[in-house]
Amino acid sequence: MTDDPGDDFPPSVQLIAVCHTPGCPVEGQEFIGTYYPYGTYDPPRYMGQCGRCGRPITDLRPVPEPLPEPTPDPPAPTPVEPSPGNTAP
């Protein structure tokens, strides 16, 4: 027997975790990690634990989507020398 959660189980997600425990060596620092849902809640719930102080992480937030690459500027026009006999008065 396998513990297959099935297709309805939410996938893992990348989240930013921040420990706010006073005195923790990493207090206030952001760490990106992979989190797995627990329970059968809708929407899914995630938990984390600080790797330094061991306290539960209550500040989990989504990782922002990367900004799209900027569109490059079009190339500058190439100057054209007037041809002989075709000059403006």
Short mmCIF file of all heavy atoms in Angstrom, two decimals, residues 22-62:
data_model
loop_
_atom_site.label_atom_id
_atom_site.label_comp_id
_atom_site.label_asym_id
_atom_site.label_seq_id
_atom_site.Cartn_x
_atom_site.Cartn_y
_atom_site.Cartn_z
N PRO A 22 12.65 37.01 18.87
CA PRO A 22 13.68 37.92 19.40
C PRO A 22 14.93 37.15 19.83
O PRO A 22 14.84 36.12 20.48
CB PRO A 22 12.99 38.58 20.60
CG PRO A 22 11.52 38.44 20.33
CD PRO A 22 11.38 37.14 19.58
N GLY A 23 16.08 37.65 19.42
CA GLY A 23 17.35 37.04 19.79
C GLY A 23 17.80 35.92 18.87
O GLY A 23 18.93 35.42 19.02
N CYS A 24 16.97 35.49 17.92
CA CYS A 24 17.38 34.44 16.98
C CYS A 24 18.48 35.00 16.09
O CYS A 24 18.40 36.14 15.64
CB CYS A 24 16.19 33.99 16.13
SG CYS A 24 16.63 32.75 14.89
N PRO A 25 19.54 34.23 15.81
CA PRO A 25 20.64 34.73 14.97
C PRO A 25 20.21 35.14 13.56
O PRO A 25 20.88 35.93 12.92
CB PRO A 25 21.62 33.57 14.90
CG PRO A 25 21.25 32.63 15.98
CD PRO A 25 19.80 32.88 16.30
N VAL A 26 19.07 34.61 13.08
CA VAL A 26 18.61 34.96 11.73
C VAL A 26 17.31 35.77 11.77
O VAL A 26 16.59 35.83 10.78
CB VAL A 26 18.47 33.71 10.84
CG1 VAL A 26 19.82 33.06 10.60
CG2 VAL A 26 17.48 32.72 11.44
N GLU A 27 17.04 36.38 12.90
CA GLU A 27 15.81 37.16 13.05
C GLU A 27 15.71 38.21 11.94
O GLU A 27 16.63 38.97 11.69
CB GLU A 27 15.78 37.85 14.41
CG GLU A 27 14.55 38.71 14.63
CD GLU A 27 14.59 39.46 15.95
OE1 GLU A 27 15.61 39.38 16.68
OE2 GLU A 27 13.60 40.13 16.26
N GLY A 28 14.56 38.21 11.24
CA GLY A 28 14.30 39.21 10.21
C GLY A 28 14.88 38.89 8.84
O GLY A 28 14.61 39.60 7.88
N GLN A 29 15.67 37.82 8.72
CA GLN A 29 16.25 37.47 7.41
C GLN A 29 15.29 36.60 6.62
O GLN A 29 14.58 35.77 7.17
CB GLN A 29 17.57 36.72 7.60
CG GLN A 29 18.65 37.57 8.23
CD GLN A 29 19.95 36.78 8.38
OE1 GLN A 29 20.27 35.92 7.57
NE2 GLN A 29 20.69 37.08 9.43
N GLU A 30 15.25 36.82 5.31
CA GLU A 30 14.38 36.04 4.43
C GLU A 30 15.13 34.83 3.88
O GLU A 30 16.28 34.93 3.48
CB GLU A 30 13.88 36.90 3.27
CG GLU A 30 13.00 38.04 3.71
CD GLU A 30 12.47 38.85 2.55
OE1 GLU A 30 13.01 38.73 1.42
OE2 GLU A 30 11.53 39.61 2.76
N PHE A 31 14.45 33.68 3.86
CA PHE A 31 14.99 32.46 3.30
C PHE A 31 13.94 31.84 2.38
O PHE A 31 12.78 31.70 2.78
CB PHE A 31 15.36 31.45 4.40
CG PHE A 31 16.46 31.93 5.29
CD1 PHE A 31 16.17 32.60 6.48
CD2 PHE A 31 17.78 31.72 4.95
CE1 PHE A 31 17.17 33.06 7.30
CE2 PHE A 31 18.80 32.18 5.78
CZ PHE A 31 18.50 32.85 6.95
N ILE A 32 14.34 31.47 1.17
CA ILE A 32 13.42 30.81 0.25
C ILE A 32 13.57 29.30 0.41
O ILE A 32 14.69 28.78 0.46
CB ILE A 32 13.71 31.22 -1.21
CG1 ILE A 32 13.45 32.71 -1.39
CG2 ILE A 32 12.85 30.40 -2.18
CD1 ILE A 32 13.79 33.24 -2.77
N GLY A 33 12.44 28.61 0.52
CA GLY A 33 12.48 27.17 0.68
C GLY A 33 11.26 26.51 0.04
O GLY A 33 10.31 27.19 -0.36
N THR A 34 11.30 25.20 -0.04
CA THR A 34 10.19 24.42 -0.58
C THR A 34 9.31 23.98 0.59
O THR A 34 9.81 23.43 1.57
CB THR A 34 10.71 23.19 -1.34
OG1 THR A 34 11.58 23.65 -2.39
CG2 THR A 34 9.57 22.39 -1.94
N TYR A 35 8.02 24.21 0.47
CA TYR A 35 7.07 23.88 1.53
C TYR A 35 5.98 22.98 0.97
O TYR A 35 5.54 23.14 -0.16
CB TYR A 35 6.47 25.15 2.13
CG TYR A 35 7.51 25.90 2.93
CD1 TYR A 35 8.39 26.77 2.30
CD2 TYR A 35 7.64 25.70 4.29
CE1 TYR A 35 9.38 27.43 3.02
CE2 TYR A 35 8.62 26.35 5.01
CZ TYR A 35 9.48 27.21 4.37
OH TYR A 35 10.46 27.85 5.08
N TYR A 36 5.57 22.03 1.81
CA TYR A 36 4.56 21.06 1.42
C TYR A 36 3.30 21.31 2.25
O TYR A 36 3.38 21.60 3.44
CB TYR A 36 5.07 19.64 1.65
CG TYR A 36 6.29 19.35 0.82
CD1 TYR A 36 7.57 19.63 1.31
CD2 TYR A 36 6.17 18.83 -0.46
CE1 TYR A 36 8.69 19.40 0.53
CE2 TYR A 36 7.29 18.59 -1.24
CZ TYR A 36 8.55 18.89 -0.75
OH TYR A 36 9.65 18.66 -1.52
N PRO A 37 2.12 21.19 1.64
CA PRO A 37 0.89 21.43 2.40
C PRO A 37 0.66 20.34 3.43
O PRO A 37 1.13 19.21 3.28
CB PRO A 37 -0.18 21.41 1.32
CG PRO A 37 0.39 20.59 0.23
CD PRO A 37 1.87 20.80 0.27
N TYR A 38 -0.03 20.70 4.49
CA TYR A 38 -0.42 19.70 5.48
C TYR A 38 -1.92 19.74 5.61
O TYR A 38 -2.57 20.76 5.37
CB TYR A 38 0.27 19.95 6.84
CG TYR A 38 -0.20 21.17 7.57
CD1 TYR A 38 -1.24 21.10 8.49
CD2 TYR A 38 0.38 22.41 7.35
CE1 TYR A 38 -1.68 22.21 9.17
CE2 TYR A 38 -0.05 23.54 8.02
CZ TYR A 38 -1.08 23.44 8.93
OH TYR A 38 -1.52 24.55 9.59
N GLY A 39 -2.50 18.63 5.97
CA GLY A 39 -3.95 18.54 6.11
C GLY A 39 -4.64 18.59 4.75
O GLY A 39 -4.01 18.52 3.70
N THR A 40 -5.95 18.72 4.82
CA THR A 40 -6.75 18.79 3.59
C THR A 40 -7.52 20.09 3.55
O THR A 40 -8.71 20.12 3.25
CB THR A 40 -7.72 17.59 3.51
OG1 THR A 40 -8.51 17.57 4.71
CG2 THR A 40 -6.97 16.29 3.35
N TYR A 41 -6.85 21.18 3.87
CA TYR A 41 -7.49 22.48 3.92
C TYR A 41 -7.62 23.09 2.54
O TYR A 41 -6.82 22.81 1.65
CB TYR A 41 -6.68 23.42 4.82
CG TYR A 41 -6.55 22.93 6.24
CD1 TYR A 41 -5.38 22.31 6.66
CD2 TYR A 41 -7.59 23.07 7.13
CE1 TYR A 41 -5.25 21.85 7.96
CE2 TYR A 41 -7.47 22.61 8.43
CZ TYR A 41 -6.30 22.00 8.84
OH TYR A 41 -6.18 21.55 10.12
N ASP A 42 -8.62 23.92 2.37
CA ASP A 42 -8.80 24.65 1.12
C ASP A 42 -9.00 26.11 1.47
O ASP A 42 -10.03 26.45 2.04
CB ASP A 42 -10.00 24.11 0.35
CG ASP A 42 -10.12 24.73 -1.03
OD1 ASP A 42 -9.12 25.26 -1.53
OD2 ASP A 42 -11.22 24.67 -1.60
N PRO A 43 -8.06 26.99 1.22
CA PRO A 43 -6.82 26.79 0.49
C PRO A 43 -5.80 26.03 1.34
O PRO A 43 -5.93 25.93 2.56
CB PRO A 43 -6.34 28.22 0.21
CG PRO A 43 -6.91 29.05 1.30
CD PRO A 43 -8.22 28.40 1.66
N PRO A 44 -4.75 25.51 0.68
CA PRO A 44 -3.74 24.73 1.40
C PRO A 44 -3.04 25.54 2.49
O PRO A 44 -2.92 26.76 2.39
CB PRO A 44 -2.73 24.35 0.31
CG PRO A 44 -3.37 24.65 -0.98
CD PRO A 44 -4.45 25.63 -0.72
N ARG A 45 -2.58 24.87 3.53
CA ARG A 45 -1.82 25.50 4.62
C ARG A 45 -0.41 24.94 4.64
O ARG A 45 -0.21 23.75 4.38
CB ARG A 45 -2.50 25.25 5.96
CG ARG A 45 -3.85 25.91 6.06
CD ARG A 45 -4.43 25.72 7.43
NE ARG A 45 -5.79 26.24 7.47
CZ ARG A 45 -6.58 26.14 8.50
NH1 ARG A 45 -6.16 25.52 9.60
NH2 ARG A 45 -7.80 26.64 8.47
N TYR A 46 0.53 25.80 4.98
CA TYR A 46 1.94 25.42 5.02
C TYR A 46 2.52 25.84 6.36
O TYR A 46 2.08 26.81 6.96
CB TYR A 46 2.70 26.09 3.88
CG TYR A 46 2.14 25.76 2.52
CD1 TYR A 46 1.12 26.52 1.97
CD2 TYR A 46 2.62 24.68 1.81
CE1 TYR A 46 0.59 26.20 0.73
CE2 TYR A 46 2.10 24.34 0.57
CZ TYR A 46 1.08 25.12 0.04
OH TYR A 46 0.55 24.79 -1.18
N MET A 47 3.51 25.09 6.84
CA MET A 47 4.20 25.45 8.07
C MET A 47 5.69 25.38 7.85
O MET A 47 6.16 24.67 6.97
CB MET A 47 3.92 24.54 9.26
CG MET A 47 2.71 23.76 9.34
SD MET A 47 2.59 22.96 10.95
CE MET A 47 3.22 21.37 10.56
N GLY A 48 6.41 26.10 8.70
CA GLY A 48 7.86 26.06 8.65
C GLY A 48 8.42 26.17 10.06
O GLY A 48 7.73 26.56 11.00
N GLN A 49 9.67 25.81 10.19
CA GLN A 49 10.36 25.89 11.46
C GLN A 49 11.73 26.50 11.21
O GLN A 49 12.41 26.16 10.26
CB GLN A 49 10.52 24.49 12.05
CG GLN A 49 11.27 24.45 13.35
CD GLN A 49 11.35 23.03 13.90
OE1 GLN A 49 10.59 22.15 13.51
NE2 GLN A 49 12.28 22.81 14.80
N CYS A 50 12.13 27.43 12.08
CA CYS A 50 13.42 28.08 11.94
C CYS A 50 14.54 27.05 12.16
O CYS A 50 14.51 26.30 13.13
CB CYS A 50 13.56 29.23 12.93
SG CYS A 50 15.15 30.08 12.83
N GLY A 51 15.49 27.03 11.25
CA GLY A 51 16.60 26.11 11.36
C GLY A 51 17.62 26.51 12.40
O GLY A 51 18.48 25.71 12.76
N ARG A 52 17.55 27.72 12.91
CA ARG A 52 18.51 28.17 13.92
C ARG A 52 17.96 28.08 15.34
O ARG A 52 18.62 27.59 16.23
CB ARG A 52 18.95 29.61 13.63
CG ARG A 52 19.76 29.76 12.35
CD ARG A 52 21.08 28.99 12.36
NE ARG A 52 22.00 29.37 13.39
CZ ARG A 52 22.95 30.27 13.29
NH1 ARG A 52 23.12 30.92 12.17
NH2 ARG A 52 23.73 30.53 14.30
N CYS A 53 16.74 28.60 15.55
CA CYS A 53 16.21 28.60 16.92
C CYS A 53 15.16 27.52 17.15
O CYS A 53 14.79 27.27 18.30
CB CYS A 53 15.66 29.98 17.28
SG CYS A 53 14.11 30.41 16.45
N GLY A 54 14.66 26.89 16.07
CA GLY A 54 13.70 25.81 16.22
C GLY A 54 12.26 26.25 16.43
O GLY A 54 11.38 25.41 16.57
N ARG A 55 12.02 27.55 16.45
CA ARG A 55 10.65 28.04 16.67
C ARG A 55 9.85 27.97 15.37
O ARG A 55 10.41 28.05 14.28
CB ARG A 55 10.67 29.49 17.16
CG ARG A 55 11.44 29.73 18.45
CD ARG A 55 10.70 29.16 19.64
NE ARG A 55 9.34 29.66 19.66
CZ ARG A 55 8.80 30.31 20.67
NH1 ARG A 55 9.49 30.53 21.76
NH2 ARG A 55 7.56 30.73 20.60
N PRO A 56 8.51 27.85 15.47
CA PRO A 56 7.69 27.84 14.26
C PRO A 56 7.81 29.17 13.51
O PRO A 56 7.91 30.23 14.12
CB PRO A 56 6.26 27.66 14.78
CG PRO A 56 6.42 27.11 16.16
CD PRO A 56 7.72 27.64 16.68
N ILE A 57 7.79 29.08 12.20
CA ILE A 57 7.79 30.27 11.35
C ILE A 57 6.33 30.63 11.10
O ILE A 57 5.56 29.81 10.60
CB ILE A 57 8.49 30.00 10.00
CG1 ILE A 57 9.94 29.62 10.21
CG2 ILE A 57 8.34 31.17 9.05
CD1 ILE A 57 10.89 30.74 10.45
N THR A 58 5.95 31.84 11.42
CA THR A 58 4.59 32.29 11.17
C THR A 58 4.52 33.26 10.00
O THR A 58 3.45 33.62 9.57
CB THR A 58 4.01 32.98 12.43
OG1 THR A 58 4.86 34.06 12.79
CG2 THR A 58 3.91 32.00 13.57
N ASP A 59 5.68 33.67 9.49
CA ASP A 59 5.74 34.61 8.37
C ASP A 59 6.21 33.86 7.13
O ASP A 59 7.40 33.75 6.86
CB ASP A 59 6.70 35.76 8.72
CG ASP A 59 6.73 36.85 7.67
OD1 ASP A 59 6.07 36.71 6.61
OD2 ASP A 59 7.42 37.85 7.89
N LEU A 60 5.26 33.28 6.40
CA LEU A 60 5.52 32.61 5.13
C LEU A 60 4.80 33.39 4.05
O LEU A 60 3.62 33.69 4.17
CB LEU A 60 4.99 31.17 5.15
CG LEU A 60 5.72 30.17 6.03
CD1 LEU A 60 4.93 28.86 6.08
CD2 LEU A 60 7.11 29.92 5.52
N ARG A 61 5.53 33.75 3.00
CA ARG A 61 4.91 34.52 1.92
C ARG A 61 5.36 34.00 0.56
O ARG A 61 6.42 33.40 0.45
CB ARG A 61 5.19 35.99 2.05
CG ARG A 61 6.55 36.37 2.51
CD ARG A 61 6.63 37.89 2.73
NE ARG A 61 7.00 38.17 4.08
CZ ARG A 61 8.04 38.91 4.44
NH1 ARG A 61 8.79 39.46 3.53
NH2 ARG A 61 8.31 39.12 5.68
N PRO A 62 4.55 34.26 -0.46
CA PRO A 62 4.92 33.79 -1.80
C PRO A 62 6.18 34.47 -2.32
O PRO A 62 6.46 35.62 -1.98
CB PRO A 62 3.72 34.17 -2.68
CG PRO A 62 2.66 34.64 -1.75
CD PRO A 62 3.27 34.92 -0.42
#
